[in-house]
């Protein structure tokens, strides 16, 4: 079979690219108390502010592999079922998040031997991880946790200049969630294969499934950023594969190749038998992107045609693509040259079997197939959500930022599920349709910004300490319910209420309104099914008014029920006005 058009193959020659400093790295130590620099030169910051100081911090014994300076020695967990998501929000202002840049995002979880709380299933904790308005993945960890930390990593194209990473709370039926660390690494467009794949997959995120360094000397030799030419400049973590025979070189190998693998990945390789099959059992029904790294590091290979092998990629039992690699030639006729193969369209794995990479030595080739590294990504099944309408989000933030009780709610208000005190329309970019901020101890004046929620049908601010008058909400043309009972609102009842076309329930009980009940509101009670409750207000009619003025407005088939508390010829006060 010929090369498929869905493949691109890049051959590059030797040259050393010096690693740039860790510009743009964001490294958060969850539960950490202060900033520090670890042995790899990565600067970690504590997560106090990012977590809104919600949750509880516990010290844990880090895994033996982690060394002494590690973010894995503390966790932050989020007990309580009040919030259904706990988010870390990275923005442009504080963290330099850039719209239009692709990020590697990695969350790590290390519980140690046990968690300081009960889980639904003994010795196991399970919760969900969210990215922005989408579900990222499920995290399920057996306890006591052994080996290395659990990691979730994805590549995300930032469509805004904020990135929210959230874990779900008990309110979604999960266990109490915890987290050890969170990192963001800007990739700009540098990782060519990833970027072209992201473009082809219309900016779907990729989950990193496998990232392997073949020919590693030891199974504890993970490669990541280490502040020099040998580490990974993007802080990808490469898992060692120690199966042999192993080829190694100490000579410089080109890293200035597509996707810039670290030198140490290209300096070791696994030399296979004449025919070899590298296979990954993967979740079915989804798409994958892969990148394979080859480098010719054997002293024995001196010319074209000496190491020639075919590579067949199988999704299940069908052939996704194939090619023949003459490695010396493809590395531009240099020893220590590198060669990279990657998919530019996702490989779909349907109902049948794993992904397999089958290598076969070609006739006339002196040497067997080799491989230096491999990356395999799962492409998200759907486009990343753009989330709730931007104006709605900004308005909500404007309101909640005044109230510490509500300001801890971060992340997308509607997706992938709603905050538990509001509901949203069923659009791909939702609007907020109901808000219930009852009994939250909210005080001061009711924010006028509520008027900006275009699709609002219900606004319930009952049982707080709001004072002042009702702001102008006349733009809320879909508002059906306005519930402001048990506050300390004063002033006249505003005229616009009678003009709200959709209003069916208006509860102003137990406030301190005074002045007129507007004529149009009384008309509305009389002519429509508006349920208007007005108990517990001191109501003063204007001079010349009588309570009959009000009663007659209700029409003959309605009955107004009010109690006179100040009875003079010119003034009357109602304690209650109840229309039945
Ligand atoms: C490798 O060789 C090919 C063909 O000669 C050339 O097009 C390509 O630019 C070379 N790659 C590098 C990185 O020099
Ligand atoms: C479950 O965890 C407890 C400690 O929390 C431990 O003593 C016990 O051995 C664990 N059980 C299993 C099956 O791992
Ligand atoms: C990645 O790309 C940016 C912007 O093009 C560049 O400044 C940076 O040096 C590149 N980093 C690496 C490690 O190649
Ligand atoms: C590479 O260098 C190390 C130490 O510097 C040495 O132990 C090893 O034998 C060298 N390997 C090769 C293949 O030259
Ligand atoms: C490769 O290995 C996998 C797992 O062992 C197997 O299912 C698959 O059939 C093999 N493919 C080939 C072409 O040998
Ligand atoms: C293999 O991949 C191709 C292209 O992505 C797809 O059309 C085909 O259905 C896949 N086969 C299986 C068995 O998943
Ligand atoms: C936030 O609210 C204040 C007062 O309610 C208002 O003046 C301001 O314009 C609002 N800002 C935004 C961005 O909505
Ligand atoms: C939301 O809309 C989708 C498609 O428009 C529909 O399939 C789904 O049932 C709707 N959900 C609700 C709760 O209305
Ligand atoms: C409303 O209450 C706040 C304190 O919560 C107070 O500062 C303000 O003066 C009050 N406004 C009115 C109109 O009573
Ligand atoms: C309501 O507001 C008035 C005037 O600001 C104040 O005197 C009274 O204590 C407040 N009542 C409550 C229950 O907050
Ligand atoms: C109602 O408001 C008036 C001032 O407008 C204030 O004197 C009175 O204390 C308030 N009543 C209550 C019950 O808060
Ligand atoms: C009217 O509203 C009040 C308070 O919200 C409620 O208790 C009552 O049941 C409602 N009556 C009708 C007929 O809906």
């Amino acid at each position: 079979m010929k090369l498929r058009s869905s493949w691109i193959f890049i051959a590059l020659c030797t040259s050393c690219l010096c690693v740039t400093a860790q510009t743009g790295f964001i490294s958060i130590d969850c539960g950490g108390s202060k900033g520090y620099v670890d042995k790899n030169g990565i600067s970690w910051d504590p997560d106090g502010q990012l977590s809104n100081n919600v949750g509880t911090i516990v010290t844990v014994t880090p895994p033996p592999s982690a060394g002494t300076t590690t973010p894995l020695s503390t966790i932050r967990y989020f007990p309580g079922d009040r919030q259904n998501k706990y988010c870390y929000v990275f923005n442009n202002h504080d963290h330099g998040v850039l719209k239009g840049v692709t990020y590697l995002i990695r969350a790590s979880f290390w519980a140690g031997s046990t968690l300081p709380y009960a889980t639904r299933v003994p010795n196991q904790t399970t919760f969900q991880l969210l990215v922005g308005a989408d579900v990222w993945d499920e995290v399920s960890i057996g306890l006591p946790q052994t080996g290395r930390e659990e990691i979730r990593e994805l590549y995300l194209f930032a469509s805004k200049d904020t990135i929210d990473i959230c874990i779900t709370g008990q309110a979604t039926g999960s266990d109490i969630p915890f987290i050890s660390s969170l990192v963001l690494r800007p990739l700009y467009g540098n990782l060519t294969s990833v970027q072209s794949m992201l473009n082809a997959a219309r900016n779907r995120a990729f989950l990193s499934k496998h990232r392997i360094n073949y020919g590693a000397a030891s199974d504890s030799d993970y490669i990541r950023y280490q502040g020099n030419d040998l580490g990974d400049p993007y802080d990808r973590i490469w898992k060692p594969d120690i199966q042999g025979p192993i080829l190694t070189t100490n000579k410089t190998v080109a890293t200035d190749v597509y996707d810039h693998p670290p030198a140490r990945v290209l300096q070791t390789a696994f030399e296979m038998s004449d025919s070899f099959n590298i296979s990954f059992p993967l979740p079915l029904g989804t798409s994958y992107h892969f990148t394979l790294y080859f480098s010719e590091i054997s002293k024995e290979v001196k010319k074209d045609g000496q190491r020639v092998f075919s590579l067949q990629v199988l999704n299940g039992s069908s052939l996704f693509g194939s090619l023949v690699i003459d490695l010396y030639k493809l590395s531009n006729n240099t020893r220590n040259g590198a060669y990279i193969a990657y998919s530019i369209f996702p490989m779909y794995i349907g109902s049948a079997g794993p992904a397999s990479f089958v290598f076969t030595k070609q006739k006339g080739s002196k040497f067997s197939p080799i491989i230096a590294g491999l990356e395999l990504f799962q492409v998200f099944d759907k486009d990343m959500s753009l989330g709730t309408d931007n104006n709605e989000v900004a308005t909500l933030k404007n309101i909640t930022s005044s109230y510490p009780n509500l300001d801890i709610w971060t992340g997308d208000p509607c997706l992938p599920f709603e905050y538990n005190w509001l509901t949203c329309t069923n659009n791909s970019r939702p609007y907020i349709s109901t808000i219930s901020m009852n009994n939250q101890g909210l005080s001061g004046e009711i924010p006028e910004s509520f008027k900006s929620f275009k699709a609002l049908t219900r606004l319930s601010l009952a049982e707080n300490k709001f004072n002042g008058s009702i702001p102008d909400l006349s733009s809320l043309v879909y508002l059906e319910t306005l519930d402001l009972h048990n506050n300390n609102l004063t002033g006249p009842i505003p005229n616009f209420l009678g003009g709200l076309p959709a209003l069916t329930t208006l509860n102003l009980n137990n406030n301190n309104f005074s002045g007129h009940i507007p004529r149009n509101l009384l008309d509305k009670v009389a002519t429509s099914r508006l349920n208007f409750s007005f108990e517990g207000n001191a109501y003063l009619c204007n001079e010349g008014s009588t309570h009959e003025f009000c009663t007659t407005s209700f029409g003959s088939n309605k009955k107004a029920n009010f109690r006179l508390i100040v009875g003079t010829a010119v003034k009357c006060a109602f304690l209650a006005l109840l229309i039945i």
Side-chain angles (χ1 to χ4, degrees), residues 268-328:
T268 65
F270 162 47
E271 188 167 46
M272 307 168 194
S273 51
D274 291 353
S275 179
F276 199 82
N277 169 4
I278 297 175
S279 183
F280 299 93
L282 294 166
L284 301 176
T286 48
S287 304
Y288 297 87
H289 165 64
F290 58 84
T291 308
L292 307 182
Y293 300 89
F294 303 95
S295 51
E296 183 50 85
I297 54 176
S298 166
K299 286 190 187 122
E300 316 295 321
V301 178
K302 297 193 172 79
K303 57 179 195 218
D304 293 359
Q306 289 191 318
R307 192 192 298 280
V308 186
F309 54 92
S310 66
L311 164 62
Q312 293 178 303
V313 181
L314 292 98
N315 49 339
S317 48
S318 39
L319 188 64
F320 175 75
S322 74
L323 77 157
V324 173
I325 297 172
D326 181 341
L327 190 53
Y328 191 84

Side-chain angles (χ1 to χ4, degrees), residues 391 394-399 401-402 446-450 452:
N391 292 331
T395 304
L396 193 68
K397 194 74 225 159
N398 191 9
I399 293 170
S401 62
S402 309
I446 294 177
E448 193 177 350
S449 311
F450 281 114
S452 306

Side-chain angles (χ1 to χ4, degrees), residues 110-115 123-124 141-147:
W110 175 257
S113 55
T114 184
L115 286 165
N123 293 45
Q124 180 180 318
I141 296 170
L143 302 169
Q145 194 170 358
T146 54

Side-chain angles (χ1 to χ4, degrees), residues 26-95:
I26 301 168
S27 311
I28 304 301
D29 177 2
C30 302
S33 55
K34 57 181 197 309
Y36 60 91
V37 177
D38 75 10
K39 65 177 194 301
N40 293 318
I42 298 171
S43 307
W44 294 91
D45 293 315
D47 71 337
Q49 215 179 346
L50 265 165
S51 64
N52 299 304
N53 290 305
V54 174
T56 306
I57 296 169
V58 186
T59 302
V60 299
T61 306
S65 59
T68 46
T69 49
T70 171
L72 302 178
S73 52
T74 52
I75 61 169
R76 185 182 290 273
Y77 69 94
F78 298 92
D81 54 7
R82 203 166 95 80
Q83 276 174 267
N84 55 12
K85 55 176 131 180
Y86 298 91
C87 299
Y88 288 80
V89 179
F90 298 92
N91 61 31
N92 179 265
H93 180 263
D94 298 324
H95 313 102

Side-chain angles (χ1 to χ4, degrees), residues 11-13 332:
L12 293 153
C13 67
N332 277 14

